[in-house]
Amino acid sequence: MASRRSLLAGAALLSAPRSASAQAWPTRPVRIMVPYSPGGQADTVIRLLQPKITEFLGQPLVLENRPGAGGSIAAGIVAGAPADGYTLLFDSFPFAVQPLIQRSITFNYETAFAPVGQVVALPYVLVVKRDFPANDVPSFIAAAKARNGAAYGTPGIASLGHLAGALLAARAGISMEHVPYRGGTDAARDVAAGNLDSAIATASTLRPLILEGHARGIALTSGERRGTLSDLPTFAESGFPGFDLTSWNGLLAPAATPAPVIARLEAALRHATTDEATRQRLIASGNDPVTEPAAAFGERIRRDREIVRQLIRDTGLRLE
């Protein structure tokens, strides 16, 4: 009995430092890798959330922009970092797509990360130039058939806009020529000038064109009406049930990060996304604030990845 008590006491002493450190986390600044350039959509969102996350954690957030290779440079840094919660990734929808299109990645996107939480949803929208003969999805399809196709601009290859156009073409039985740009703003400029039939990009990018009369909004790619263009119908309610491609921003940690650390980070995100002033700033920047916990966020990533896999199988779509 005495020997057993000694063993139990020793085990308790060994486990105590780990438990205490989990409760005390963080004790130093937390680094967040952003795979996109300063001033971009993801960068804007995390900087709006930064003050409230810092307030909750009691430690500064150090944001590092590491764009390139479709986001895999920043993701690789986090995948190889210690699983202690001090190096995190703030990513968006391309996170779900990269493992399907990049062959040279040295880490496994599907096993290298632990989801922490989603913070915003970002619907994309299809718009057409002023003289394109369409006001809704049925008339857009009819016009595309009559013209033997329609060209659509997007923020780039493998972007959500690219995928949404390919999905619409496949389900509607029409031809759509993808025109990739370096960003949604460039595509918007050509639609406004009348040089491009249509574009599929973020609502925040294309909404000014609609409000100023330089383009007409047709439909949202999200499964439900949301965001600053919620007056527009969705593709799902326009004859294509189940059509749901919605971009997002969310936080991820290296796999094997302790559950108490994930829980504290999840709580920090909830603190930020439920702050009313922060919510209004996110809405003003064209984002729809959400509070999606780790498990639901992980399921969203898996669902988005499977949608893209199925789209590639059904259409032979090339994303390289």
Side-chain angles (χ1 to χ4, degrees), residues 5-310:
R5 283 195 296 270
S6 297
L7 288 172
L8 290 173
L13 286 171
L14 287 173
S15 64
R18 182 173 181 177
S19 175
S21 64
Q23 291 174 2
W25 186 92
T27 59
R28 64 178 192 268
V30 175
R31 184 170 65 147
I32 297 184
M33 310 303 299
V34 183
Y36 310 102
S37 300
Q41 193 270 333
D43 181 72
T44 298
V45 170
I46 188 58
R47 291 183 189 279
L48 288 173
L49 296 172
Q50 185 179 19
K52 286 296 175 181
I53 296 175
T54 296
E55 176 183 273
F56 185 90
L57 295 179
Q59 291 288 341
L61 294 187
V62 179
L63 306 182
E64 295 187 22
N65 297 88
R66 294 292 185 93
S72 63
I73 292 176
I77 293 172
V78 177
D84 55 11
Y86 287 103
T87 304
L88 308 171
L89 178 68
F90 191 76
D91 214 331
S92 59
F93 183 87
F95 177 90
V97 181
Q98 287 308 310
L100 306 180
I101 64 175
Q102 286 205 45
R103 303 288 182 260
S104 58
I105 297 175
T106 58
F107 59 93
N108 188 331
Y109 263 93
E110 299 190 42
T111 60
F113 301 94
V116 175
Q118 181 185 345
V119 294
V120 298
L122 195 65
Y124 273 46
V125 60
L126 167 66
V127 302
V128 297
K129 62 182 181 180
R130 281 169 294 191
D131 61 353
F132 193 89
N135 294 296
D136 53 23
V137 174
S139 59
F140 177 85
I141 293 170
K145 288 180 177 178
R147 294 171 170 232
N148 294 317
Y152 73 105
T154 75
I157 293 173
S159 68
L160 188 142
H162 182 191
L163 298 170
L167 182 59
L168 175 63
R171 293 193 61 179
I174 59 176
S175 173
M176 292 185 67
E177 178 190 357
H178 179 226
V179 184
Y181 287 79
R182 295 186 65 179
T185 302
D186 294 331
R189 188 178 301 114
D190 271 359
V191 170
N195 299 325
L196 183 65
D197 291 335
S198 63
I200 306 178
T202 64
S204 58
T205 299
L206 297 177
R207 183 169 178 263
L209 269 65
I210 297 171
L211 295 180
E212 294 164 11
H214 298 309
R216 283 193 305 281
I218 300 297
L220 297 171
T221 64
S222 49
E224 58 189 21
R225 298 191 187 200
R226 64 192 314 162
T228 54
L229 288 175
S230 58
D231 56 320
L232 289 178
T234 65
F235 283 105
E237 64 185 275
S238 302
F240 299 95
F243 196 116
D244 181 8
L245 286 172
T246 306
S247 191
W248 44 260
N249 288 132
L251 191 66
L252 301 110
T257 298
V261 173
I262 295 291
R264 185 156 171 78
L265 283 167
E266 192 177 339
L269 292 183
R270 187 164 55 250
H271 177 75
T273 55
T274 56
D275 174 71
E276 188 56 31
T278 301
R279 288 178 60 82
Q280 292 305 316
R281 294 187 187 100
L282 288 169
I283 292 169
S285 67
N287 295 282
D288 188 5
V290 299
T291 304
E292 190 165 81
F297 182 37
E299 184 54 39
R300 171 170 292 279
I301 293 171
R302 286 188 288 273
R303 184 191 67 86
D304 286 346
R305 198 166 280 150
E306 186 51 40
I307 287 173
V308 178
R309 280 198 183 99
Q310 188 66 44

